[in-house]
Amino acid sequence: MPVKKDSAGNRSVEAQVDLPGTPEDVWNAIATGPGISQWFVLSELEGRIGGTTVSHFAADGSMDSVATITAWEPPKRFVAEAPGQSGTVATEWTVEAKSGGLCTVRVVHRWFATSDDWDDQFEGHSYGWIAFFRLLRLYLTHFPGQHGSAFQLLFRSSQPLADAWRKLVEPLGLANATEQRRVASDTQAFEGVVERTGPQDHPELVVRLDQPAPGFAHLFALPMGGMTFLSVRFFLFGDDAASVAKREEPRWRTWLEKHFPTPSE
């Protein structure tokens, strides 16, 4: 989404989505640690002004995003502020009830800058939220209020984006996946219906799973710092979700380590 800016140097980008559920349902999914962890990344959130939010983008804590809550108005609005290279960034979440059992969720990033140096990065943030909103909609549609188990694996490749993505999806039998078609992998416990395929320059797959457990999987690749980063994320639900996640995470890690050994520096 384009960056909005004024003459004083204040800038913002935003993204929004319509979601099923009451404001309370949606609030629990976007403004509590357990709720956020069901569709985004493992997160903690202290629901109060002055509380801390932490989003764990890597299992080892090396990519944690930490912010402080500066506004807290459940179930309608909260704001969290975080320091960054571009200065302090305020992220505002709002929930607005609509007819037909829907709510509009809007996320706005606001920051101050005297140049355009960070505009492209923040535009990327807004498009990134649109991708994550698809997972949030899946969660609220098929698993509302459930707290399952998730795992995420992040690997690097020195190959170009298209080659690294092909190396990920071809052995899984997913190279020709199309939306609303059933897929199954011969190499991993992976079966379900494709909900989303991304374009070539933003490769992505979202699959609503039957196996290894009810839930959804999110696979994507993105270029960063001259490398290609590949992410495999599973969100599993049901009585056996924890044991299935405990079993499947090392299997996927071993498989990915074989296909994407650590690149030499």
Side-chain angles (χ1 to χ4, degrees):
M1 301 299 168
V3 173
K4 298 178 182 178
K5 59 189 81 172
D6 63 24
S7 58
N10 298 302
R11 298 162 186 257
S12 67
V13 292
E14 66 179 71
Q16 71 176 49
V17 63
D18 289 341
L19 298 167
T22 66
E24 291 76 16
D25 294 335
V26 174
W27 181 263
N28 285 333
I30 68 166
T32 69
I36 298 166
S37 300
Q38 308 311 309
W39 59 273
F40 186 46
V41 296
L42 181 64
S43 301
E44 294 97 38
L45 185 149
E46 296 178 84
R48 59 180 178 83
I49 293 177
T52 299
T53 78
V54 184
S55 299
H56 303 285
F57 289 92
D60 62 3
S62 62
M63 298 175 64
D64 283 1
S65 176
V66 182
T68 301
I69 294 175
T70 57
W72 184 254
E73 305 166 21
K76 296 181 179 180
R77 174 180 177 267
F78 76 95
V79 179
E81 296 188 4
Q85 292 178 305
S86 61
T88 298
V89 179
T91 301
E92 179 185 40
W93 289 81
T94 58
V95 179
E96 181 181 353
K98 296 184 63 175
S99 60
L102 299 174
C103 287
T104 297
V105 170
R106 181 178 294 105
V107 59
V108 183
H109 296 292
R110 293 187 175 90
W111 73 103
F112 171 83
T114 57
S115 72
D116 297 337
D117 292 349
W118 298 96
D119 288 8
D120 288 347
Q121 179 174 319
F122 278 98
E123 285 188 16
H125 287 345
S126 64
Y127 286 107
W129 279 121
I130 292 173
F132 286 119
F133 284 162
R134 296 188 189 101
L135 305 185
L136 177 55
R137 182 185 287 114
L138 270 177
Y139 171 61
L140 287 169
T141 300
H142 298 284
F143 310 101
Q146 295 187 43
H147 291 169
S149 292
F151 64 88
Q152 57 183 355
L153 299 167
L154 185 66
F155 280 74
R156 295 185 301 159
S157 171
S158 57
Q159 293 180 301
L161 180 68
D163 293 339
W165 179 249
R166 185 165 53 251
K167 190 174 181 179
L168 173 64
V169 296
E170 280 188 347
L172 295 172
L174 302 175
N176 299 312
T178 56
E179 293 180 8
Q180 303 308 312
R181 296 291 298 273
R182 177 165 290 276
V183 292
S185 171
D186 293 331
T187 60
Q188 296 291 96
F190 188 95
E191 184 174 347
V193 175
V194 177
E195 295 281 346
R196 161 75 179 175
T197 59
Q200 289 185 349
D201 53 345
H202 296 286
E204 177 187 22
L205 274 173
V206 178
V207 179
R208 179 160 51 87
L209 298 169
D210 301 315
Q211 296 293 335
F216 45 93
H218 185 209
L219 287 67
F220 65 91
L222 73 161
M224 186 185 305
M227 305 291 289
T228 298
F229 283 76
L230 299 128
S231 177
V232 174
R233 308 186 320 134
F234 277 75
F235 301 85
L236 306 176
F237 301 92
D239 294 340
D240 298 328
S243 61
V244 172
K246 185 177 180 179
R247 181 191 73 211
E248 291 299 318
E249 191 273 346
R251 291 181 178 178
W252 278 90
R253 183 179 298 278
T254 299
W255 188 86
L256 287 162
E257 287 174 345
K258 177 182 177 181
H259 284 76
F260 298 98
T262 302
S264 57
E265 300 295 344

